[in-house]
Amino acid sequence: MSMQTNVDFQRGLVEARHAYDNRMLMNPDPSVIISSQVISAFWGKYLPLDPAVRGRDPCVWLQNILSLPKPPSEVLLLSLRALAMTRLGWVDKNEGLGLQGNQYYGRALQVAQKALYKEQARYDDELFAAGYVLTVYELFESTTPSIAGWNSHVTGLGQLIQARGPEKHKPSFARGCLEEFRTSAMIQGIQFRSSSFLNAGEWLTIPWQEAPKDVYQQLYDKGFALGALLEDIDQVGTIGSDTDITVLSNLLQRAAAIDRNLDDWYERIREESPHPLYWHVQPSAPCSRISSSSSSQIREPSRHSPFTFHTARLACIVVTSWALKLALSVNIALLCKSIISTHTSVRISGINDFDLRSQAHCLLPKHGDPHRMKLATNIMRSMPYTLNDNMGLWGPQKSLFALRVALAALRGHPGEDLKWCQRVYQELDARKGIRYAREIAKVESKWTFVRKDILPLSIRDAWANEVPAVEPPAPAATETSECTGERLLL
């Protein structure tokens, strides 16, 4: 491993070590047999309780780790103990067990740092797996008062993965860890509006040469494309009359292509499913409750009946697709408004400005307030299912991104829906022990998929000072109108 990559990856570990709970913690009791019992108990708490609800292979990466033919390496075992003990300590209200888990976390960081000084460290699959376990630990425990700790882990682990190269992730064990990490990397890219090396050609193909991508990984590919698009939108800066029309056209065409790809993906899984992907249930029906105790139940959105799904895994992937559509739709509306508001009438590289503005006029209503509200409320209506106590810790973990996108979109549209999203995020911290959620629940949080104050969910205010709109020409009778040719997801 190069010295720079080694240093970069260790930086995340060092930051985590400095930030983690450094109270006077008890030393782990070596007489306690925890390797199998505690980790096995964690497995039972982590996944949905009902095997039928789990679906097929809901957590391949963790299953692969727990099925290793030989005892795990020191760093992987310490990482597993840290995650298992802190989560079980929280679930069972056992402070001593949680403190022991914190101690194991500190030891795991030390061992990981030491291992990285070895030249062959990058090729150690178990070190890679341990790095992801520590990332999940940081998601739940949040050793900093913000998302910085989780972000440091994801960034550092990404550098290690990149140094390993795509060929190293073709075997099933490494590929399973990579596939799970891709979820975190995709979220980070959209959150910080940045591209990822995982969006490069070889990283999109080589790890799956021996086993094709499933529908989940295919969806994440579209998420990486969205992160790269957001980065390029920001690089344009303030769009004005002097902005190159070819740049604007390229951004809009890419955004529209991602939108079509998401629609095609959704339609494919809908057609291949023997059952409806989701359906309505009566409010407070058993399948929509967080638990059987009314005192601990997270209420459904007051204005919306909840959804239910055949499996937890299907629920999380469908809700993630809605979140990607929502994040993309907000930015398509931003692009369309910017294009319509510019004053240019030039033709460059065969692109006519009037045609581009006509396309923007056509796309804008499809990505306006009603469409985005539909996506946001669909996410909200899914939360009573995915956050149910019977979904274990896995359900809330997989719901964070989608709920976050809905919350960010609704911040420009204050009302009961926004309050509900904020309340659920607060309860994810208080009742589910996901400390990462504390920062996200803040209305003024700067981490969002859309630049602050750029475009609210309701676009009426954004048009207060717009120039008079130019009506697009009506399509010829023999042509298919682009305004009716696009298919919406919902």
Side-chain angles (χ1 to χ4, degrees):
M1 179 180 297
S2 69
M3 180 62 67
Q4 184 59 47
T5 300
N6 197 350
V7 170
D8 289 341
F9 181 49
Q10 287 190 62
R11 183 178 296 114
L13 297 177
V14 170
E15 291 174 355
R17 283 191 62 195
H18 288 170
Y20 99 99
D21 191 349
N22 58 4
R23 293 170 292 178
M24 294 299 294
L25 305 178
M26 63 184 73
N27 288 323
D29 184 357
S31 66
V32 179
I33 303 176
I34 64 170
S35 297
S36 59
Q37 295 178 1
V38 171
I39 295 174
S40 177
F42 167 74
W43 172 260
K45 297 288 186 181
Y46 184 70
L47 292 180
L49 296 178
D50 186 348
V53 172
R54 292 180 189 177
R56 182 175 60 86
D57 300 329
C59 194
V60 173
W61 71 277
L62 186 55
Q63 189 172 1
N64 287 345
I65 290 174
L66 299 182
S67 301
L68 285 170
K70 57 183 177 62
S73 63
E74 181 184 15
V75 65
L76 181 54
L77 181 59
L78 289 171
S79 302
L80 288 170
R81 288 175 174 177
L83 177 61
M85 295 178 77
T86 51
R87 287 294 83 205
L88 289 176
W90 190 91
V91 170
D92 297 333
K93 310 304 178 188
N94 185 331
E95 183 178 1
L97 193 62
L99 291 176
Q100 283 189 319
N102 288 339
Q103 184 72 29
Y104 277 117
Y105 174 71
R107 289 178 56 187
L109 291 176
Q110 291 176 334
V111 174
Q113 281 186 277
K114 186 176 180 180
L116 286 170
Y117 283 105
K118 300 176 181 178
E119 182 64 27
Q120 295 301 313
R122 77 173 89 177
Y123 302 114
D124 185 353
D125 287 346
E126 293 192 23
L127 177 62
F128 170 30
Y132 187 73
V133 173
L134 293 175
T135 300
V136 177
Y137 174 99
E138 187 64 40
L139 181 76
F140 283 107
E141 297 303 314
S142 190
T143 54
T144 65
S146 69
I147 64 173
W150 175 84
N151 184 59
S152 293
H153 274 286
V154 174
T155 300
L157 188 56
Q159 292 165 348
L160 177 64
I161 292 170
Q162 190 171 14
R164 287 162 53 92
E167 290 282 349
K168 185 61 178 175
H169 300 89
K170 292 170 67 173
S172 60
F173 182 89
R175 187 177 65 250
C177 292
L178 174 67
E179 289 181 342
E180 188 66 18
F181 173 79
R182 274 164 52 92
T183 310
S184 299
M186 180 197 73
I187 293 172
Q188 184 189 56
I190 295 172
Q191 167 185 303
F192 292 102
R193 301 174 66 89
S194 61
S195 61
S196 169
F197 71 92
L198 293 173
N199 192 44
E202 60 181 7
W203 283 99
L204 292 171
T205 56
I206 291 177
W208 293 273
Q209 288 178 342
E210 298 175 3
K213 288 180 182 176
D214 60 19
V215 294
Y216 305 92
Q217 296 305 314
Q218 292 169 19
L219 180 65
Y220 299 151
D221 286 349
K222 296 160 182 54
F224 285 119
L226 174 57
L229 173 69
L230 298 180
E231 179 178 81
D232 290 345
I233 290 174
D234 290 348
Q235 287 179 350
V236 173
T238 303
I239 298 175
S241 58
D242 58 343
T243 304
D244 188 342
I245 189 175
T246 59
V247 174
L248 296 180
S249 178
N250 175 265
L251 292 173
L252 188 60
Q253 304 316 315
R254 285 171 58 191
I258 296 172
D259 192 50
R260 289 192 297 271
N261 290 338
L262 284 168
D263 285 350
D264 292 342
W265 175 92
Y266 186 89
E267 187 65 21
R268 186 166 61 254
I269 66 167
R270 188 190 65 79
E271 291 176 351
E272 293 176 356
S273 175
H275 309 286
L277 297 181
Y278 62 95
W279 60 94
H280 301 265
V281 296
Q282 293 298 318
S284 298
C287 63
S288 68
R289 292 182 179 178
I290 276 292
S291 73
S292 59
S293 170
S294 61
S295 63
S296 64
Q297 178 181 342
I298 291 181
R299 300 290 180 180
E300 298 92 354
S302 59
R303 301 190 299 115
H304 313 287
S305 61
F307 292 156
T308 193
F309 301 79
H310 274 286
T311 68
R313 195 165 183 235
L314 177 62
C316 290
I317 199 65
V318 169
V319 172
T320 298
S321 74
W322 288 335
L324 292 177
K325 285 282 292 185
L326 178 54
L328 176 63
S329 187
V330 169
N331 286 276
I332 288 178
L334 169 62
L335 276 173
C336 289
K337 175 189 176 297
S338 299
I339 290 170
I340 293 169
S341 300
T342 59
H343 293 278
T344 57
S345 58
V346 296
R347 180 187 294 270
I348 302 177
S349 302
I351 301 174
N352 186 282
D353 174 62
F354 186 79
D355 291 341
L356 181 60
R357 295 178 69 191
S358 298
Q359 184 183 14
H361 269 292
C362 179
L363 288 174
L364 185 57
K366 298 177 182 180
H367 296 278
D369 203 21
H371 177 58
R372 300 203 300 275
M373 280 297 296
K374 180 73 171 179
L375 291 166
T377 54
N378 275 3
I379 293 170
M380 293 168 56
R381 296 166 76 176
S382 306
M383 291 301 104
Y385 178 88
T386 60
L387 300 182
N388 190 295
D389 279 348
N390 292 330
M391 295 300 165
L393 299 169
W394 184 86
Q397 176 189 345
K398 294 298 182 180
S399 303
L400 282 170
F401 168 65
L403 185 61
R404 178 178 190 168
V405 173
L407 175 64
L410 290 168
R411 282 174 178 155
H413 194 78
E416 288 303 313
D417 289 344
L418 174 60
K419 292 178 181 178
W420 184 88
C421 282
Q422 291 175 306
R423 185 166 59 250
V424 169
Y425 251 112
Q426 291 164 354
E427 293 189 14
L428 282 173
D429 175 23
R431 296 187 52 256
K432 295 294 184 181
I434 304 179
R435 297 180 183 177
Y436 174 93
R438 286 178 296 191
E439 175 74 8
I440 309 305
K442 300 175 183 177
V443 175
E444 297 303 322
S445 173
K446 64 181 179 178
W447 309 120
T448 177
F449 64 89
V450 61
R451 288 174 291 179
K452 186 177 179 182
D453 297 331
I454 287 293
L455 186 70
L457 185 61
S458 175
I459 64 173
R460 290 186 294 271
D461 293 338
W463 286 78
N465 299 314
E466 68 165 359
V467 297
V470 177
E471 292 296 328
T478 59
E479 297 179 353
T480 300
S481 171
E482 288 187 0
C483 291
T484 56
E486 294 286 338
R487 175 171 50 82
L488 295 181
L489 176 64
L490 298 173

